[in-house]
Amino acid sequence: MRRIGIVLCCLMLTGTVLLIGGRLPYFLFYVFALFVIIPLIHSLITISGLNAEISIPHNTLYKNDTININYKIKNTSPFLIPYLIIECMTDRTLNRNPSKFITFLQGRTVCKYSEALTLRKRGYCNVGEIELIVQDIYKIYKFKKKILNKKSLLVYPKIIPLSSFKIASAGYLGEFIALDGQLDDKTMMNSLREYVHGDNLKSIHWKQTAKKAQPIVKIYDKISDSKVLIFIDNSVNSYKDDIEERLEDKMVDIALSIIDYYFNKNIDFKLFYQKRNETFEINGSDAGDIKVFLDIFAKLKSDGELIFHEFLINNIEGADRNPNVIIITPRLNKAIGAAALELLSRNLTPFFLTVGDREKNTGFLDENIRKRLVKENISVYPVDYSADIKAVLEYEYE
């Protein structure tokens, strides 16, 4: 409204001067012109003389870490800036609104400002972008100047350590699977114990069960050279509705927790994922390699060009000696179900962790396909975005 009023006054004075003339109208016109022009020149000089330095952390950062971004704004001009607005621009990975700081700045002086940010997402995070807004004393003019920090922070996903990898069914028809049991050497029985909920029925020692009148199960030695195949579904067509990348992040958290667990148990595994039109196979055997996987998962995007069921079948060739296949996907449809049955026909043991997000209504789990796979002894465990990963992946016996 103020600008509109000034423009109208300017038009009226100009018209009066042109139509009537005279010393007084011209005097008023010149005074008004100075009132308009001087703040304009002052604002242009001060905005051009504004510089800023942005300092960001250089240490290794993880998801949910809080960091401090420091700004140093310098007014190199000799003139006072009556209104300086420092607006810290938002980054979608920070899940926050822009913050504002209003001050004034004397000529040839420095203003320091800092803000604390919580890194809500893994991946590259652009921080330190600010917009400086200069206004004159009458707030007639407003000039903006953006200053960018060209360096991006790489935020690593945080490992959620597991004490066990035993999956409760969370109410799905009482199904239960303990992946640790899949790594047992069935030729080397170690000991016997009483049956507890979740034990594989195939491990029941029937003679001892009959003798003691209660279920007794066999405990086997671990196979030291067993290998697990882990398939990450990061096909672009599997995440079309995952605008906020919530499913993508949950998938990464699940995979990283499982991999960390295998490292701690000295169990060899191989990870499969895509990057555009390339396929990557990464072996994991040395616990020191966890840094490699942290880097992979920090940068992992849902950009795979190959449809996931094709990617799964194409990379399972020659895996006859690797019977355990963990599949982490936000979609379980007919095509992926058919691929799982193909794996089963090759004497492999597929196991599904399907990621969904009830709040955003993303992810897809065909219940008919799930029931069909269950009938074929293929376990399928849905994991919602809001679910506690430890609660889902662990199952502690008392």
Side-chain angles (χ1 to χ4, degrees):
M1 293 295 295
R2 182 178 297 167
R3 293 179 184 176
I4 295 174
I6 291 173
V7 171
L8 290 176
C9 289
C10 184
L11 291 174
M12 290 175 61
L13 277 174
T14 302
T16 302
V17 168
L18 293 176
L19 292 174
I20 301 176
R23 290 186 176 183
L24 181 60
Y26 269 100
F27 174 77
L28 294 175
F29 177 74
Y30 290 151
V31 170
F32 186 78
L34 290 174
F35 171 78
V36 173
I37 293 173
I38 290 177
L40 173 63
I41 296 172
H42 177 268
S43 297
L44 289 173
I45 293 173
T46 54
I47 191 68
S48 62
L50 269 182
N51 294 322
E53 296 178 9
I54 304 169
S55 300
I56 61 174
H58 297 287
N59 54 310
T60 303
L61 300 171
Y62 293 88
K63 180 180 175 181
N64 293 327
D65 283 355
T66 298
I67 61 173
N68 287 315
I69 308 296
N70 298 310
Y71 306 92
K72 184 186 292 185
I73 296 95
K74 184 176 182 180
N75 179 12
T76 61
S77 75
F79 303 112
L80 166 74
I81 300 176
Y83 292 103
L84 174 63
I85 303 172
I86 305 168
E87 184 169 342
C88 302
M89 307 304 290
T90 186
D91 185 289
R92 65 185 180 84
T93 63
L94 298 176
N95 192 26
R96 69 174 182 90
N97 295 320
S99 61
K100 289 184 178 181
F101 176 66
I102 302 176
T103 185
F104 68 92
L105 191 58
Q106 295 285 352
R108 304 193 189 283
T109 56
V110 173
C111 170
K112 294 182 180 180
Y113 174 69
S114 65
E115 63 170 343
L117 302 176
T118 300
L119 305 171
R120 299 297 185 189
K121 287 179 65 64
R122 63 170 181 95
Y124 284 107
C125 175
N126 296 316
V127 296
E129 177 182 347
I130 58 173
E131 186 172 71
L132 303 177
I133 302 172
V134 169
Q135 289 185 287
D136 62 277
I137 193 68
Y138 304 108
K139 294 187 178 179
I140 301 173
Y141 303 105
K142 179 189 288 186
F143 293 97
K144 299 180 180 180
K145 186 174 189 178
K146 279 189 177 181
I147 298 177
L148 305 177
N149 172 39
K150 296 181 180 180
K151 295 182 180 179
S152 295
L153 295 178
L154 181 60
V155 181
Y156 291 97
K158 184 163 287 187
I159 298 174
I160 302 172
L162 304 176
S163 58
S164 63
F165 185 13
K166 297 175 180 178
I167 309 298
S169 65
Y172 280 84
L173 303 178
E175 305 133 17
F176 183 90
I177 186 169
L179 279 195
D180 287 343
Q182 294 182 3
L183 300 173
D184 291 338
D185 185 349
K186 299 301 189 291
T187 65
M188 300 292 291
M189 187 174 69
N190 181 284
S191 61
L192 299 172
R193 64 164 167 79
E194 294 181 4
Y195 173 87
V196 293
H197 175 69
D199 282 339
N200 194 329
L201 295 178
K202 295 180 180 180
S203 297
I204 292 179
H205 195 297
W206 294 108
K207 289 184 179 181
Q208 290 294 322
T209 295
K211 182 177 179 180
K212 295 183 178 293
Q214 65 179 8
I216 302 296
V217 295
K218 310 167 192 175
I219 306 300
Y220 298 98
D221 289 334
K222 298 293 182 183
I223 302 174
S224 60
D225 59 350
S226 294
K227 180 174 287 186
V228 181
L229 303 183
I230 303 173
F231 282 85
I232 295 285
D233 180 0
N234 66 317
S235 301
V236 65
N237 67 313
S238 296
Y239 296 84
K240 290 181 180 178
D241 300 322
D242 187 30
I243 299 173
E244 298 179 25
E245 301 175 354
R246 285 157 63 99
L247 296 182
E248 186 181 289
D249 284 349
K250 195 69 173 183
M251 174 194 66
V252 164
D253 289 342
I254 291 170
L256 186 58
S257 293
I258 293 172
I259 285 173
D260 178 66
Y261 175 80
Y262 283 151
F263 273 136
N264 292 332
K265 296 296 182 180
N266 296 316
I267 297 170
D268 290 349
F269 64 89
K270 182 182 288 187
L271 175 70
F272 293 83
Y273 66 96
Q274 300 183 68
K275 187 174 182 181
R276 298 186 180 89
N277 61 349
E278 296 183 84
T279 296
F280 291 86
E281 302 176 18
I282 310 296
N283 287 300
S285 57
D286 184 354
D289 293 339
I290 191 65
K291 294 180 180 178
V292 174
F293 288 89
L294 279 169
D295 193 65
I296 290 171
F297 285 130
K299 302 173 183 177
L300 189 71
K301 305 294 291 182
S302 52
D303 59 0
E305 296 178 5
L306 193 61
I307 298 174
F308 183 63
H309 68 269
E310 295 180 0
F311 171 74
L312 184 60
I313 293 298
N314 291 350
N315 289 281
I316 211 67
E317 300 291 340
D320 294 339
R321 295 183 180 179
N322 305 311
N324 305 297
V325 183
I326 300 175
I327 302 166
I328 307 173
T329 177
R331 294 179 63 82
L332 181 56
N333 54 23
K334 186 176 181 179
I336 295 176
L341 295 176
E342 174 68 18
L343 267 60
L344 195 64
S345 69
R346 300 187 189 187
N347 295 320
L348 304 175
T349 306
F351 172 89
F352 280 90
L353 285 161
T354 60
V355 184
D357 189 349
R358 293 189 186 95
E359 181 183 340
K360 301 295 182 180
N361 195 29
T362 54
F364 177 77
L365 174 60
D366 189 318
E367 188 63 22
N368 292 325
I369 299 299
R370 190 195 71 82
K371 290 179 179 179
R372 169 67 193 282
L373 295 181
V374 168
K375 288 182 179 179
E376 299 293 338
N377 292 321
I378 298 176
S379 297
V380 181
Y381 291 96
V383 183
D384 188 68
Y385 176 80
S386 62
D388 183 342
I389 289 177
K390 285 179 68 67
V392 175
L393 301 185
E394 288 183 352
Y395 188 88
E396 294 291 352
Y397 296 115
E398 296 181 358

